Amino acid sequence: MEYPTLPSLFAEDEFSAMGLRKYPIRRKINANMYSDFDGTLLRELEHIDSTVTVLSTFNNGGLEMLYKNQYRAAPATGENSFIVNIGKLVDDLIDNKVPSVRHRVAEVDFDRYSITYFLGPQFDADISRSMTGKLPDAGQKYTIFGEWIK
């Protein structure tokens, strides 16, 4: 049996998207904006991406990543630098060789901008087996990426 290679899953990336994200200063705060993890006021809730995310923060702070059970400030990206997040699905497909990272955006007292590029596999990418033939979490229920993403 031949297993897919990671690049073959992204040959046609119809689910990829790029965008400018603006996090304006909040005028109102409610209880749902605080982290369940540590009570920090958040701009974007804690989460793990699903596939691959490439982003630039334009030297804006606020992005935090969970490391050794503690959220830490991610390095701010400026000219010619990016952050690459590996998502849970890709982590599973590459047999956990590069871990996915839980992250969030903490509230800051200025308008915060970032550019994100979400790289998604093609619709019919086979996600039923990892690169070494193991059954990933997604593969227990779905065969192709299009079924999983719906």
Side-chain angles (χ1 to χ4, degrees):
M1 179 177 204
E2 188 171 313
Y3 303 114
T5 62
L6 194 59
S8 71
L9 302 180
F10 293 88
E12 299 290 333
D13 59 347
E14 62 214 84
F15 286 101
S16 297
M18 184 173 190
L20 173 65
R21 310 258 334 245
K22 178 182 180 183
Y23 302 84
I25 296 173
R26 283 224 172 110
R27 305 289 179 220
K28 292 172 51 177
I29 295 172
N30 67 51
N32 295 330
M33 297 175 182
Y34 290 91
S35 166
D36 291 336
F37 183 81
D38 62 6
T40 297
L41 180 60
L42 299 178
R43 194 68 181 121
E44 186 167 323
L45 297 177
E46 296 140 342
H47 65 282
I48 295 174
D49 294 341
S50 54
T51 57
V52 177
T53 305
V54 180
L55 69 124
S56 176
T57 63
F58 301 110
N59 291 318
N60 290 307
L63 180 63
E64 298 177 345
M65 299 183 170
L66 188 62
Y67 179 72
K68 294 188 177 180
N69 208 35
Q70 180 180 0
Y71 274 98
R72 300 165 192 260
T77 59
E79 286 186 38
N80 302 317
S81 60
F82 297 91
I83 293 173
V84 178
N85 285 334
I86 301 300
K88 174 71 170 116
L89 178 63
V90 172
D91 183 19
D92 286 349
L93 293 174
I94 61 174
D95 299 309
N96 308 108
K97 299 293 184 200
V98 178
S100 53
V101 176
R102 188 169 193 76
H103 56 282
R104 67 189 186 183
V105 177
E107 186 66 64
V108 293
D109 60 357
F110 54 87
D111 287 345
R112 182 184 183 281
Y113 294 87
S114 66
I115 286 184
T116 55
Y117 178 69
F118 300 102
L119 178 62
Q122 59 204 36
F123 185 89
D124 59 353
D126 182 356
I127 61 168
S128 66
R129 296 281 169 203
S130 74
M131 300 298 107
T132 60
K134 295 178 183 169
L135 182 66
D137 288 344
Q140 294 179 26
K141 188 172 180 183
Y142 304 106
T143 304
I144 62 171
F145 180 72
E147 297 171 327
W148 180 82
I149 196 70
K150 68 177 183 171

Coordinates of all heavy atoms in Angstrom, one line a residue, residues 23-86:
Y23 N -7.7 43.9 14.7 CA -8.3 43.7 16.0 C -8.4 45.1 16.6 O -7.5 45.6 17.2 CB -7.4 42.9 16.9 CG -7.1 41.5 16.4 CD1 -6.0 41.3 15.5 CD2 -7.8 40.4 16.8 CE1 -5.7 40.0 15.0 CE2 -7.5 39.1 16.3 CZ -6.5 39.0 15.4 OH -6.2 37.7 15.0
P24 N -9.6 45.8 16.4 CA -9.7 47.2 16.9 C -9.8 47.2 18.5 O -10.1 46.2 19.1 CB -11.0 47.6 16.3 CG -11.8 46.4 16.0 CD -10.8 45.3 15.7
I25 N -9.5 48.3 19.0 CA -9.6 48.5 20.5 C -11.0 48.2 20.9 O -11.9 48.7 20.3 CB -9.1 49.9 20.9 CG1 -7.7 50.1 20.6 CG2 -9.4 50.1 22.4 CD1 -7.2 51.6 20.8
R26 N -11.2 47.5 22.0 CA -12.5 47.1 22.5 C -13.1 48.3 23.3 O -12.4 48.9 24.1 CB -12.5 45.9 23.3 CG -12.4 44.6 22.5 CD -13.3 43.6 23.1 NE -13.3 42.5 22.2 CZ -12.8 41.3 22.5 NH1 -12.3 41.1 23.7 NH2 -12.9 40.3 21.6
R27 N -14.3 48.5 23.1 CA -15.0 49.6 23.9 C -15.8 49.0 25.0 O -16.1 49.6 26.0 CB -16.0 50.4 23.0 CG -15.3 51.0 21.8 CD -14.4 52.1 22.1 NE -13.8 52.6 20.9 CZ -12.5 53.0 20.9 NH1 -11.8 52.9 21.9 NH2 -12.0 53.5 19.7
K28 N -16.2 47.7 24.8 CA -17.0 47.0 25.9 C -16.3 45.6 26.1 O -15.8 45.0 25.2 CB -18.4 46.8 25.4 CG -19.2 48.1 25.3 CD -20.6 47.9 24.7 CE -21.4 46.7 25.3 NZ -22.7 46.6 24.7
I29 N -16.4 45.2 27.4 CA -15.8 43.9 27.7 C -16.9 43.1 28.5 O -17.7 43.6 29.3 CB -14.6 44.1 28.7 CG1 -13.5 44.8 27.9 CG2 -14.1 42.8 29.2 CD1 -12.3 45.2 28.7
N30 N -17.0 41.8 28.1 CA -17.9 40.9 28.9 C -17.2 39.7 29.4 O -16.1 39.5 29.0 CB -19.2 40.6 28.0 CG -18.8 39.7 26.9 OD1 -18.2 38.7 27.0 ND2 -19.3 40.1 25.7
A31 N -17.8 38.9 30.2 CA -17.2 37.8 30.9 C -16.7 36.7 29.9 O -15.8 36.0 30.2 CB -18.2 37.2 31.9
N32 N -17.3 36.6 28.7 CA -16.9 35.6 27.7 C -15.5 35.9 27.1 O -15.0 35.1 26.3 CB -17.9 35.5 26.6 CG -19.2 34.9 27.2 OD1 -19.2 34.2 28.2 ND2 -20.3 35.3 26.6
M33 N -14.9 37.1 27.4 CA -13.7 37.5 26.7 C -12.5 37.1 27.5 O -11.3 37.4 27.1 CB -13.7 39.0 26.5 CG -14.8 39.4 25.5 SD -14.7 41.2 25.5 CE -16.1 41.5 24.4
Y34 N -12.7 36.4 28.7 CA -11.5 36.1 29.5 C -11.2 34.6 29.3 O -12.0 33.7 29.1 CB -11.9 36.3 31.0 CG -11.9 37.8 31.3 CD1 -13.1 38.5 31.2 CD2 -10.8 38.5 31.7 CE1 -13.2 39.8 31.5 CE2 -10.8 39.8 31.9 CZ -12.0 40.5 31.9 OH -12.0 41.9 32.1
S35 N -9.9 34.3 29.4 CA -9.4 32.9 29.2 C -9.9 32.0 30.4 O -9.8 32.4 31.5 CB -7.9 33.0 29.2 OG -7.4 31.7 29.4
D36 N -10.4 30.9 30.0 CA -10.7 29.8 31.0 C -9.4 29.3 31.6 O -9.4 28.7 32.7 CB -11.5 28.7 30.4 CG -12.9 29.1 30.0 OD1 -13.4 30.1 30.6 OD2 -13.5 28.5 29.1
F37 N -8.3 29.4 30.9 CA -7.0 28.8 31.3 C -6.4 29.6 32.4 O -6.0 29.0 33.4 CB -6.1 28.7 30.1 CG -4.8 28.1 30.3 CD1 -4.6 26.7 30.4 CD2 -3.6 28.9 30.6 CE1 -3.4 26.1 30.6 CE2 -2.4 28.3 30.8 CZ -2.3 26.9 30.8
D38 N -6.3 30.9 32.2 CA -5.6 31.7 33.2 C -6.3 33.1 33.5 O -5.7 33.9 34.2 CB -4.2 31.9 32.9 CG -4.0 32.7 31.6 OD1 -5.0 33.2 31.0 OD2 -2.8 32.8 31.1
G39 N -7.5 33.4 33.0 CA -8.2 34.6 33.3 C -7.7 35.8 32.5 O -8.2 36.9 32.7
T40 N -6.8 35.7 31.5 CA -6.3 36.8 30.7 C -7.4 37.3 29.8 O -8.2 36.5 29.2 CB -5.1 36.3 29.9 OG1 -4.0 35.9 30.7 CG2 -4.6 37.4 28.9
L41 N -7.5 38.6 29.7 CA -8.5 39.2 28.8 C -8.0 38.9 27.3 O -6.8 39.3 27.0 CB -8.6 40.7 29.0 CG -9.6 41.5 28.1 CD1 -11.0 40.9 28.3 CD2 -9.5 43.0 28.4
L42 N -8.8 38.4 26.5 CA -8.4 37.9 25.2 C -9.1 38.7 24.1 O -10.2 39.2 24.2 CB -8.8 36.4 25.0 CG -8.1 35.5 25.9 CD1 -8.5 34.1 25.6 CD2 -6.6 35.6 25.8
R43 N -8.4 38.8 22.9 CA -8.9 39.4 21.7 C -9.4 38.3 20.8 O -10.3 38.4 20.0 CB -7.8 40.2 21.0 CG -8.3 41.1 19.9 CD -9.1 42.2 20.6 NE -9.7 43.0 19.7 CZ -11.0 43.3 19.6 NH1 -11.8 42.6 20.3 NH2 -11.5 44.1 18.7
E44 N -8.7 37.1 20.8 CA -9.1 35.9 20.1 C -8.9 34.8 21.0 O -7.9 34.6 21.6 CB -8.3 35.8 18.8 CG -8.8 34.6 18.0 CD -8.2 34.6 16.6 OE1 -8.0 35.7 16.0 OE2 -7.9 33.5 16.1
L45 N -9.9 33.9 21.1 CA -9.9 32.8 22.0 C -8.8 31.8 21.7 O -8.3 31.7 20.6 CB -11.2 32.1 22.0 CG -12.4 32.9 22.4 CD1 -13.7 32.1 22.3 CD2 -12.3 33.4 23.9
E46 N -8.4 31.0 22.7 CA -7.4 30.0 22.6 C -7.9 28.9 21.6 O -9.0 28.5 21.7 CB -7.1 29.4 24.0 CG -6.5 30.4 24.9 CD -7.1 30.3 26.4 OE1 -8.1 29.7 26.6 OE2 -6.4 30.9 27.2
H47 N -6.9 28.5 20.8 CA -7.3 27.5 19.8 C -6.0 26.9 19.2 O -4.9 27.4 19.3 CB -8.2 28.1 18.7 CG -7.5 29.1 17.8 ND1 -7.3 30.4 18.3 CD2 -6.9 29.0 16.6 CE1 -6.6 31.1 17.3 NE2 -6.4 30.3 16.3
I48 N -6.3 25.8 18.4 CA -5.2 25.1 17.6 C -5.7 25.2 16.2 O -6.9 24.8 15.9 CB -5.0 23.7 18.1 CG1 -4.4 23.6 19.5 CG2 -4.0 23.0 17.1 CD1 -4.3 22.3 20.1
D49 N -4.9 25.6 15.3 CA -5.3 25.7 13.9 C -5.5 24.3 13.4 O -5.0 23.3 14.0 CB -4.2 26.4 13.1 CG -4.1 27.9 13.4 OD1 -5.1 28.4 14.0 OD2 -3.1 28.5 13.1
S50 N -6.1 24.2 12.2 CA -6.4 22.8 11.6 C -5.3 22.4 10.6 O -4.9 21.2 10.6 CB -7.7 22.8 11.0 OG -7.9 23.8 10.1
T51 N -4.8 23.3 9.8 CA -3.8 22.9 8.8 C -2.5 23.6 8.9 O -1.8 23.3 9.9 CB -4.4 23.0 7.4 OG1 -4.8 24.4 7.2 CG2 -5.6 22.1 7.1
V52 N -2.2 24.6 8.1 CA -1.0 25.4 8.2 C -1.4 26.8 8.1 O -2.1 27.2 7.2 CB 0.0 25.0 7.1 CG1 1.3 25.9 7.2 CG2 0.4 23.5 7.1
T53 N -0.8 27.6 9.0 CA -1.0 29.1 9.0 C 0.3 29.8 9.0 O 1.2 29.5 9.8 CB -1.8 29.5 10.3 OG1 -3.0 28.8 10.4 CG2 -2.1 31.0 10.2
V54 N 0.4 30.7 8.0 CA 1.6 31.6 8.0 C 1.1 33.0 8.3 O 0.2 33.4 7.7 CB 2.3 31.5 6.6 CG1 3.5 32.4 6.5 CG2 2.6 30.1 6.2
L55 N 1.8 33.7 9.2 CA 1.3 35.0 9.6 C 2.5 36.0 9.9 O 3.6 35.6 10.3 CB 0.4 34.9 10.7 CG 0.9 34.5 12.1 CD1 0.6 35.6 13.1 CD2 0.4 33.2 12.5
S56 N 2.1 37.2 9.7 CA 3.0 38.3 10.1 C 2.2 39.2 11.0 O 1.1 39.5 10.8 CB 3.5 39.1 8.9 OG 4.2 40.2 9.3
T57 N 2.9 39.6 12.1 CA 2.2 40.5 13.1 C 2.6 41.9 13.0 O 2.2 42.8 13.8 CB 2.5 40.0 14.5 OG1 3.9 40.0 14.8 CG2 2.0 38.5 14.7
F58 N 3.5 42.3 12.1 CA 3.9 43.7 11.9 C 4.5 44.3 13.2 O 4.2 45.4 13.5 CB 2.8 44.6 11.4 CG 2.2 44.1 10.1 CD1 0.9 43.6 10.1 CD2 2.9 44.2 8.9 CE1 0.4 43.2 8.8 CE2 2.4 43.8 7.7 CZ 1.1 43.3 7.7
N59 N 5.2 43.5 14.0 CA 5.7 43.9 15.3 C 4.7 44.2 16.3 O 5.0 44.9 17.3 CB 6.7 45.2 15.1 CG 7.9 44.8 14.4 OD1 8.5 43.7 14.6 ND2 8.4 45.6 13.5
N60 N 3.4 43.8 16.1 CA 2.4 44.0 17.1 C 2.4 42.9 18.1 O 2.5 41.7 17.7 CB 1.0 44.0 16.4 CG 0.8 45.3 15.6 OD1 0.9 46.4 16.1 ND2 0.4 45.1 14.4
G61 N 2.4 43.2 19.3 CA 2.3 42.1 20.4 C 0.9 41.6 20.5 O 0.0 42.0 19.8
G62 N 0.7 40.7 21.4 CA -0.6 40.1 21.7 C -0.7 38.7 21.4 O -1.4 38.0 22.1
L63 N 0.0 38.2 20.4 CA 0.0 36.8 20.1 C 0.7 36.0 21.1 O 1.9 36.3 21.4 CB 0.6 36.5 18.7 CG 0.6 35.0 18.2 CD1 -0.9 34.5 18.1 CD2 1.3 34.9 16.9
E64 N 0.1 35.0 21.7 CA 0.7 34.2 22.7 C 0.6 32.7 22.4 O -0.5 32.3 21.9 CB 0.1 34.4 24.1 CG 0.2 35.9 24.6 CD -0.5 36.2 25.9 OE1 -1.3 35.4 26.3 OE2 -0.1 37.2 26.5
M65 N 1.6 31.9 22.7 CA 1.6 30.5 22.5 C 1.8 29.7 23.7 O 2.6 30.1 24.6 CB 2.6 30.2 21.4 CG 2.4 30.9 20.1 SD 3.6 30.4 18.9 CE 2.8 31.2 17.5
L66 N 1.1 28.6 23.9 CA 1.2 27.8 25.1 C 2.4 26.9 25.0 O 2.6 26.1 24.0 CB -0.1 26.9 25.2 CG -0.2 26.1 26.5 CD1 -0.3 27.0 27.7 CD2 -1.5 25.2 26.4
Y67 N 3.3 27.0 25.9 CA 4.5 26.2 26.0 C 4.8 25.8 27.4 O 4.8 26.7 28.3 CB 5.7 27.1 25.4 CG 7.0 26.4 25.5 CD1 7.3 25.3 24.6 CD2 8.0 26.7 26.4 CE1 8.5 24.7 24.6 CE2 9.2 26.1 26.4 CZ 9.5 25.0 25.5 OH 10.7 24.4 25.6
K68 N 4.9 24.5 27.7 CA 5.1 24.0 29.0 C 4.1 24.5 30.0 O 4.4 25.0 31.1 CB 6.5 24.3 29.5 CG 7.6 23.5 28.7 CD 9.0 23.7 29.3 CE 10.0 22.8 28.4 NZ 11.3 22.9 29.0
N69 N 2.8 24.4 29.6 CA 1.7 24.8 30.4 C 1.6 26.3 30.8 O 1.1 26.6 31.8 CB 1.6 23.9 31.6 CG 0.1 23.7 32.1 OD1 -0.8 23.7 31.3 ND2 -0.1 23.7 33.4
Q70 N 2.3 27.1 30.0 CA 2.2 28.6 30.3 C 2.2 29.3 28.9 O 2.9 29.0 28.0 CB 3.5 29.0 31.0 CG 3.5 30.4 31.4 CD 4.8 30.8 32.1 OE1 5.7 30.0 32.4 NE2 5.0 32.1 32.4
Y71 N 1.3 30.3 28.9 CA 1.2 31.1 27.7 C 2.4 32.1 27.7 O 2.7 32.7 28.7 CB -0.1 31.9 27.5 CG -1.1 31.1 26.9 CD1 -2.1 30.4 27.6 CD2 -1.2 30.9 25.5 CE1 -3.0 29.6 27.0 CE2 -2.1 30.1 24.9 CZ -3.0 29.5 25.6 OH -4.0 28.7 25.0
R72 N 3.1 32.2 26.5 CA 4.2 33.1 26.4 C 4.1 33.9 25.1 O 3.5 33.5 24.2 CB 5.5 32.3 26.3 CG 5.8 31.4 27.5 CD 6.8 30.4 27.2 NE 6.9 29.4 28.2 CZ 7.7 29.3 29.2 NH1 8.7 30.3 29.3 NH2 7.7 28.4 30.1
A73 N 4.6 35.1 25.2 CA 4.5 36.0 24.0 C 5.2 35.4 22.8 O 6.4 34.9 23.0 CB 5.1 37.4 24.3
A74 N 4.6 35.4 21.7 CA 5.2 34.9 20.5 C 6.2 36.0 20.0 O 5.9 37.2 20.2 CB 4.2 34.6 19.4
P75 N 7.2 35.6 19.3 CA 8.1 36.6 18.8 C 7.3 37.5 17.8 O 6.6 37.0 16.9 CB 9.2 35.9 18.0 CG 8.8 34.4 18.1 CD 7.6 34.3 18.9
A76 N 7.5 38.8 17.9 CA 6.8 39.7 17.0 C 7.5 39.6 15.6 O 8.7 39.6 15.6 CB 6.8 41.1 17.5
T77 N 6.7 39.6 14.6 CA 7.3 39.5 13.2 C 7.4 40.9 12.6 O 6.4 41.7 12.7 CB 6.6 38.6 12.3 OG1 5.2 39.1 12.2 CG2 6.6 37.2 12.9
G78 N 8.5 41.2 12.1 CA 8.6 42.5 11.4 C 8.9 42.3 9.9 O 8.4 41.4 9.3
E79 N 9.8 43.1 9.4 CA 10.2 42.9 8.0 C 10.8 41.5 7.7 O 11.7 41.1 8.5 CB 11.2 44.0 7.6 CG 10.6 45.3 7.4 CD 11.6 46.3 6.9 OE1 12.4 46.0 6.0 OE2 11.6 47.5 7.3
N80 N 10.4 40.9 6.7 CA 11.0 39.6 6.2 C 10.9 38.5 7.2 O 11.8 37.6 7.2 CB 12.4 39.8 5.7 CG 12.5 40.9 4.6 OD1 11.7 40.8 3.7 ND2 13.4 41.8 4.7
S81 N 10.0 38.5 8.1 CA 9.8 37.4 9.0 C 8.4 37.0 9.2 O 7.5 37.8 9.1 CB 10.5 37.7 10.4 OG 9.8 38.8 11.0
F82 N 8.2 35.7 9.4 CA 6.8 35.1 9.6 C 6.8 34.1 10.7 O 7.8 33.5 11.1 CB 6.4 34.4 8.3 CG 6.3 35.4 7.1 CD1 7.4 35.6 6.3 CD2 5.1 36.0 6.8 CE1 7.3 36.4 5.2 CE2 5.1 36.9 5.7 CZ 6.2 37.1 4.9
I83 N 5.6 33.8 11.2 CA 5.4 32.7 12.1 C 4.6 31.6 11.3 O 3.7 32.0 10.5 CB 4.6 33.1 13.3 CG1 5.4 34.1 14.2 CG2 4.2 31.9 14.1 CD1 4.7 34.7 15.3
V84 N 5.0 30.4 11.5 CA 4.3 29.3 10.8 C 3.7 28.4 11.9 O 4.5 27.9 12.7 CB 5.2 28.4 9.9 CG1 4.5 27.3 9.3 CG2 5.8 29.3 8.8
N85 N 2.4 28.3 11.9 CA 1.7 27.4 12.9 C 1.3 26.1 12.1 O 0.7 26.1 11.1 CB 0.4 28.0 13.4 CG 0.7 29.1 14.5 OD1 1.7 29.0 15.1 ND2 -0.2 30.0 14.6
I86 N 1.7 25.0 12.7 CA 1.2 23.7 12.2 C 0.0 23.3 12.9 O -0.1 23.3 14.1 CB 2.3 22.6 12.4 CG1 3.6 23.0 11.8 CG2 1.8 21.2 12.0 CD1 3.6 23.1 10.3

